[in-house]
Amino acid sequence: EAAVTQSPRSKVAVTGGKVTLSCHQTNNHDYMYWYRQDTGHGLRLIHYSYVADSTEKGDIPDGYKASRPSQENFSLILELASLSQTAVYFCASSDGTGGANERLFFGHGTKLSVL
Amino acid sequence: GDSVTQTEGQVTVSESKSLIINCTYSTTSIAYPNLFWYVRYPGEGLQLLLKVITAGQKGSSRGFEATYNKETTSFHLQKASVQESDSAVYYCALGDPGGYKVVFGSGTRLLVSP
């Protein structure tokens, strides 16, 4: 079974601080994604990547940066964390042409609280 | 743009009773979208429950079924007899077959009471 591991599972950060969320996949998948979920909303795409050393903006990229140093690893970086970034963050991977056609494999999620 | 609507935030059903979770979609693509149901069990990540890529067809998995209805732009999830272990959050999703993007609904939490 394909595996996507996120760390940390939860984090409390201070406003204005830097936060890095990490994701590691052992699926040998080309595509990786970062989503956020807020209560009452669906998952929204922040950044994605289809090859190492390259990232693309999703639907809500403002306030976030992403890094894909290798096929297996994909990080989400909040340079200046804000209260509005309190949410649950999910990392996912997929093969082939991406999640629109293929199955997405998700990590367990990271609950981020910015105070 | 594309969107997915799940009108119920939470549904409570007694064990062995039937279930329907509603999902409707909207797309600006000229191609018919791929439709998915994902499920998130407590403490776990989302996982694919079922997928249908052809309008008019039905997908099924673990006793759940969903039919892709392009006339009503719906993809409702049904199960004839739920179990306590089905308690989870269910997400309807839409994928643009020409692209990379998957759009998710807001999720419906299913509580199955004994």
Side-chain angles (χ1 to χ4, degrees):
Chain A
E1 180 74 3
V4 177
T5 305
Q6 292 182 232
S7 61
R9 293 290 295 270
S10 66
K11 183 171 181 64
V12 178
V14 296
T15 305
K18 182 177 180 179
V19 176
T20 299
L21 307 182
S22 299
C23 180
H24 178 80
Q25 55 111 348
T26 57
N27 309 326
N28 199 33
H29 285 165
D30 290 326
Y31 279 78
M32 295 188 75
Y33 306 80
W34 276 106
Y35 288 90
R36 69 174 276 175
Q37 183 175 29
D38 301 277
T39 303
H41 291 84
L43 281 71
R44 292 182 290 171
L45 183 64
I46 306 171
H47 285 286
Y48 70 101
S49 168
Y50 54 83
V51 67
D53 295 322
S54 177
T55 64
E56 306 291 333
K57 294 180 179 179
D59 296 325
I60 54 165
D62 293 347
Y64 302 93
K65 292 171 64 175
S67 173
R68 183 100 181 261
S70 63
Q71 187 191 41
E72 299 80 17
N73 295 294
F74 191 38
S75 298
L76 186 68
I77 302 149
L78 291 66
E79 294 279 4
L80 295 170
S82 67
L83 294 172
S84 64
Q85 293 177 313
T86 292
V88 179
Y89 292 83
F90 290 99
C91 177
S93 74
S94 71
D95 199 358
T97 56
N101 297 309
E102 305 294 334
R103 171 184 174 183
L104 285 167
F105 291 84
F106 283 88
H108 284 59
T110 295
K111 185 175 182 180
L112 175 65
S113 299
V114 182
L115 306 178
Chain B
D2 297 342
S3 66
V4 176
T5 301
Q6 294 178 245
T7 53
E8 305 107 342
Q10 181 168 303
V11 173
T12 302
V13 180
S14 299
E15 197 168 23
S16 79
K17 298 300 184 183
S18 64
L19 165 74
I20 182 165
I21 296 177
N22 293 309
C23 171
T24 57
Y25 67 89
S26 173
T27 180
T28 55
S29 173
I30 59 172
Y32 289 117
N34 302 317
L35 298 177
F36 307 84
W37 278 101
Y38 282 84
V39 57
R40 185 184 181 201
Y41 296 104
E44 299 184 15
L46 284 79
Q47 55 186 274
L48 181 67
L49 179 60
L50 57 86
K51 163 183 146 181
V52 180
I53 63 172
T54 303
Q57 296 209 343
K58 179 167 67 178
S60 60
S61 174
R62 308 180 209 175
F64 289 89
E65 296 181 338
T67 300
Y68 187 155
N69 189 322
K70 65 181 176 62
E71 284 78 25
T72 59
T73 61
S74 66
F75 191 55
H76 306 318
L77 184 67
Q78 300 183 71
K79 190 174 186 184
S81 175
V82 298
Q83 304 169 348
E84 252 190 288
S85 58
D86 293 326
S87 295
V89 182
Y90 293 82
Y91 297 89
C92 185
L94 173 158
D96 177 0
Y100 64 89
K101 186 187 291 190
V102 180
V103 176
F104 287 85
S106 54
T108 298
R109 181 178 298 277
L110 170 64
L111 296 176
V112 179
S113 57

